[in-house]
Amino acid sequence: MRLASPTLPRAKNSSPGRRSRRRGWFGLLLLMFVALLMFTVSAAATCTFVLKWGSTGSAAGQFITPRGIAVDPSGNVLVTDQNNRVQKFDSSGNTVSTFGINGVVSGGFVSPNRVTTDSAGNVYVTDSDETAARVQKFNSNGVFQFTFGTPGTGNSQFELPAGVAVDSSGNIYVADSGNHRIQKFDASHNFVTKWGSSGTGDTQFAAPQGVAVDSAGNVYVVDSGNNRVQKFTSSGAFLAKWGTSGSGDGEFSSPMGIAVDTSGNVYVADSGNNRIEVFDPSGTFVESCGTSGSGDGQFTSPGDVAIDTAGNLYVADTGADRVQKFSTTAAPPVANAGADQTVECAGATTSVSLDGSASTAGSGTINSYSWAEGANPLGTGAQLSVSLSSGSHIITLTVTDTGGGSDTDDVVVNIVDTTAPVIHVSGDDPMTVECHTGFSDPGATATDACAGAVSVTPSGSVNTLAPGSYTITYTATDGANTSTATRTVNVVDTTPPAITCPSDVTVTLPPNSSATSTAVSYPAVTATDSCSSSVNVNSSPASGSLFPVGTTTVNATASDGTNSSSCSFHVTVLYNFAGFFPPIANLPAINVVNAGRAVPVKFSLSGFKGLGIFAAGSPASGQIVCNPSENAVTVQDTVTAGGSSLSYDASSDQYIYVWKTDPSWAGTCRQLVVQLGDGSAHRADFRFK
């Protein structure tokens, strides 16, 4: 939808300076144009579409933003558009003539706005440009007669002149929009009077637009910014007002144009609501026609209206660059019960939505919607929800309107059952079951829109002794339709074998040998599996392997082909250490030594095992608390202190470690710790003097 404002010109040759000046008064009308973004919530239209003409362009019969429309005494239609011209058409939309040129010259236009005619067929046109704020008069053939008005705020001056009307005496009324007032001139365009100021009170205006005069000389003004119509005497005395902002009946959104027929009925172009509203002479809402859109009888920001003596209504459809013609002859409503429906059964009865909102009004507004199946009434309202049993139903909609007309339309509703039951598989799907465990089928349930709950029959089996994928099939029927669903059951073996390692094993090297390793046979590693009868067990190092001095970790694994488990234990091979030999006394005795002497520490490992028998950092000593009650043994066999050393005496099969003591140890007690490479530690206590 093009949101071109009905009051804003689309001048073809505007200079940058002129465009800048127009921005100055755009804010004045902003409130009116916000509503152009709204859609109409319209009462039923009583006007009947007759024809349309026009499209966007500058050729004859084309328009750029047509803003003003009028009908002369001969029934010809005059339209202003932003091609800076007035076009004249016959009542069938055929071009009769065109007049107007571009520019602030006699007979020229910069922004032609509204147009009207007098009883002699003379044509009056307002020019709303800031530099050409004036009214021009042409004869019925479009020949320029005179102009009056200049930009300004004084008498006979205008700012954004809009609507223009001529009464039976030839008096001219001009909506001086930018000055928020009405100015009255006599037939010779002499200033007579003015009324109005900016505001919201009676006889105050906010950018007044359309002006019309009835046969009694009363003046009607579209007070656009205040979303209302005000009615005055020919001298400007306030008589009445109606309208508020909104989209309901009798409400407006930026109303623009106005016309009065021979009976005094008032037609208003409710531009922002994309409709025409009709009121009686006192301002009571009668009806409306039109909705937002580009179709026949639809509008895009209609800017002005005119009505001929036969009651035909012409609308300047400003945003759509066209003119539409309507007849106001009474017409009956047209009932529309909607398209035939096929609805799936939902039980003993099925809810069905009936929609007659596509029905169209005739001369009045639709005031009654009645639904019935044969002689059985179902309810009222444009939309109705009913409950129907299975089968075919012929439902009749009857509509009546305030014009006294009525019409009927039938809709066929078939309630059918074409849907199979819906099966709901309970529990997991797919379902995973561990091998050698029990399987219990959670089952399934089924519901049917027509039959309700129905039974379910399962088929298929699951062997939990053998891993694999199994399918359970569920079947349900409502008597006419059958459905199936499946569950996948995967029997898996995810549990590793249960493996058991023996306790740690400790052995001693063979005596009287130089061996530093020995073969060790340990108890077998065992494993069981709940799903496999064949479990492979491996241990490393294997039982019977040679194990070196020290502690070796044996790692064992068990596999059932899919899963594995492991355990470990230790095999420790020790030297044959039988204790310390003299001169060292073994615990709990305490050896007494002169501090600073070297003590020969003797022991046997039952054969020469090399000189790398000590663990790293060993031997070592540390101070301990002396216990006077302990047995003390004086070490006689000491040597002069030199460096600590280790040697082996093959004749005695003894290792001799010469332990160098320190003179500063005098008066203390220390413990000597000899840690061997097999992880064992051997201790002797000493008191130094």
Side-chain angles (χ1 to χ4, degrees):
M1 177 176 72
R2 181 177 59 245
L3 298 178
S5 167
T7 63
L8 293 178
R10 294 191 289 189
K12 295 186 294 182
N13 299 309
S14 295
S15 68
R18 180 169 298 161
R19 289 194 297 269
S20 176
R21 289 191 296 273
R22 287 178 182 168
R23 295 189 192 100
W25 56 269
F26 177 81
L28 183 65
L29 304 179
L30 179 61
L31 181 61
M32 296 185 296
F33 307 140
V34 170
L36 297 180
L37 300 176
M38 299 172 58
F39 292 104
T40 300
V41 179
S42 175
T46 62
C47 51
T48 303
F49 174 80
V50 175
L51 61 89
K52 63 186 176 186
W53 68 88
S55 60
T56 303
S58 57
Q62 293 184 315
F63 305 105
I64 295 179
T65 317
R67 294 193 292 170
I69 193 166
V71 180
D72 69 13
S74 300
N76 297 305
V77 181
L78 297 109
V79 182
T80 63
D81 77 301
Q82 298 311 295
N83 286 304
N84 295 316
R85 64 186 178 182
V86 176
Q87 295 190 72
K88 184 176 183 180
F89 305 90
D90 65 20
S91 60
S92 297
N94 300 305
T95 301
V96 174
S97 63
T98 299
F99 58 91
I101 59 175
N102 184 41
V104 188
V105 296
S106 296
F109 303 107
V110 180
S111 182
N113 194 339
R114 304 305 170 88
V115 60
T116 192
T117 66
D118 59 21
S119 58
N122 295 304
V123 181
Y124 300 79
V125 184
T126 59
D127 199 338
S128 294
D129 187 80
E130 292 180 350
T131 62
R134 60 183 178 170
V135 179
Q136 295 188 80
K137 178 181 178 180
F138 302 82
N139 67 17
S140 60
N141 294 318
V143 177
F144 174 78
Q145 301 296 299
F146 61 76
T147 183
F148 63 94
T150 58
T153 60
N155 297 335
S156 299
Q157 292 184 317
F158 304 110
E159 183 178 345
L160 310 178
V164 58
V166 180
D167 64 19
S168 59
S169 300
N171 295 304
I172 306 166
Y173 302 84
V174 181
D176 188 5
S177 177
N179 288 318
H180 310 290
R181 64 185 180 180
I182 302 298
Q183 293 196 65
K184 179 180 178 179
F185 304 84
D186 63 21
S188 299
H189 62 271
N190 298 305
F191 176 80
V192 176
T193 187
K194 64 184 177 183
W195 67 89
S197 61
S198 178
T200 60
D202 297 344
T203 319
Q204 290 185 314
F205 304 105
Q209 294 296 307
V211 179
V213 181
D214 64 17
S215 59
N218 297 307
V219 181
Y220 300 80
V221 181
V222 175
D223 189 4
S224 299
N226 287 320
N227 290 301
R228 65 183 179 179
V229 172
Q230 294 194 68
K231 180 178 178 180
F232 304 90
T233 66
S234 60
S235 60
F238 176 80
L239 294 175
K241 63 182 177 183
W242 66 87
T244 59
S245 177
S247 58
D249 294 343
E251 296 177 330
F252 301 111
S253 176
S254 298
M256 290 294 174
I258 190 167
V260 183
D261 66 15
T262 55
S263 299
N265 295 307
V266 181
Y267 299 77
V268 180
D270 187 9
S271 181
N273 285 318
N274 297 299
R275 65 184 178 182
I276 307 302
E277 291 195 86
V278 184
F279 303 86
D280 68 15
S282 65
T284 301
F285 174 80
V286 176
E287 57 203 10
S288 68
C289 66
T291 58
S292 176
S294 58
D296 295 344
Q298 294 182 317
F299 302 112
T300 303
S301 305
D304 201 6
V305 291
I307 193 160
D308 63 17
T309 56
N312 294 305
L313 179 68
Y314 298 86
V315 180
D317 194 0
T318 307
D321 292 329
R322 64 180 181 176
V323 171
Q324 294 193 69
K325 178 180 179 180
F326 300 87
S327 171
T328 57
T329 303
V334 177
N336 187 336
D340 292 344
Q341 302 183 51
T342 298
V343 181
E344 187 67 24
C345 174
T349 60
T350 300
S351 179
V352 176
S353 294
L354 303 176
D355 190 350
S357 58
S359 301
T360 55
S363 299
T365 57
I366 295 179
N367 58 4
S368 174
Y369 298 82
S370 298
W371 302 85
E373 183 175 9
N376 179 33
L378 299 178
T380 60
Q383 296 175 320
L384 182 67
S385 179
V386 295
S387 296
L388 303 176
S389 59
S390 297
S392 182
H393 303 263
I394 299 176
I395 298 173
T396 301
L397 168 66
T398 301
V399 297
T400 61
D401 67 10
T402 56
S406 66
D407 190 32
T408 62
D409 187 37
D410 292 334
V411 60
V412 178
V413 180
N414 293 308
I415 308 298
V416 299
D417 182 9
T418 64
T419 304
V422 177
I423 298 177
H424 308 275
V425 177
S426 303
D428 294 337
D429 181 28
M431 188 174 185
T432 300
V433 178
E434 186 69 24
C435 179
H436 274 230
T437 61
F439 167 70
S440 178
D441 183 6
T445 59
T447 57
D448 183 75
C450 233
V454 296
S455 61
V456 178
T457 301
S459 61
S461 61
V462 176
N463 183 1
T464 60
L465 301 180
S469 183
Y470 301 86
T471 300
I472 304 294
T473 300
Y474 305 96
T475 303
T477 180
D478 60 10
N481 309 286
T482 300
S483 60
T484 61
T486 61
R487 182 203 309 277
T488 299
V489 180
N490 295 312
V491 177
V492 298
D493 180 10
T494 63
T495 303
I499 187 170
T500 302
C501 279
S503 301
D504 291 345
V505 176
T506 301
V507 299
T508 304
L509 288 173
N512 304 313
S513 74
S514 61
T516 57
S517 63
T518 185
V520 178
S521 296
Y522 50 76
V525 177
T526 60
T528 59
D529 188 80
S530 63
C531 202
S532 176
S533 60
S534 176
V535 179
N536 184 32
V537 178
N538 288 303
S539 302
S540 179
S543 180
S545 299
L546 288 176
F547 286 82
V549 167
T551 299
T552 300
T553 299
V554 178
N555 294 306
T557 60
S559 174
D560 61 10
T562 302
N563 311 285
S564 62
S565 57
S566 62
C567 65
S568 63
F569 63 98
H570 303 97
V571 173
T572 302
V573 177
L574 300 177
Y575 293 119
N576 281 284
F577 183 86
F580 296 112
F581 296 133
I584 302 301
N586 291 287
L587 293 175
I590 187 166
N591 298 278
V592 179
V593 180
N594 289 322
R597 299 291 289 175
V599 181
V601 180
K602 301 177 181 181
F603 55 90
S604 174
L605 299 180
S606 190
F608 180 60
K609 304 299 189 292
L611 295 179
I613 60 172
F614 290 146
S618 179
S621 67
Q623 188 170 344
I624 61 174
V625 177
C626 293
N627 187 351
S629 64
E630 289 180 336
N631 295 325
V633 177
T634 301
V635 178
Q636 301 295 332
D637 186 11
T638 61
V639 296
T640 302
S644 297
S645 63
L646 175 68
S647 61
Y648 175 74
D649 182 0
S651 62
S652 62
D653 186 25
Q654 290 184 354
Y655 283 93
I656 302 172
Y657 172 68
V658 177
W659 179 35
K660 175 187 176 182
T661 66
D662 193 284
S664 64
W665 293 353
T668 67
C669 291
R670 300 182 75 83
Q671 185 176 76
L672 174 67
V673 179
V674 178
Q675 185 168 0
L676 301 178
D678 62 1
S680 62
H682 309 282
R683 295 171 173 79
D685 291 344
F686 293 84
R687 180 186 301 150
F688 294 93
K689 60 181 180 178

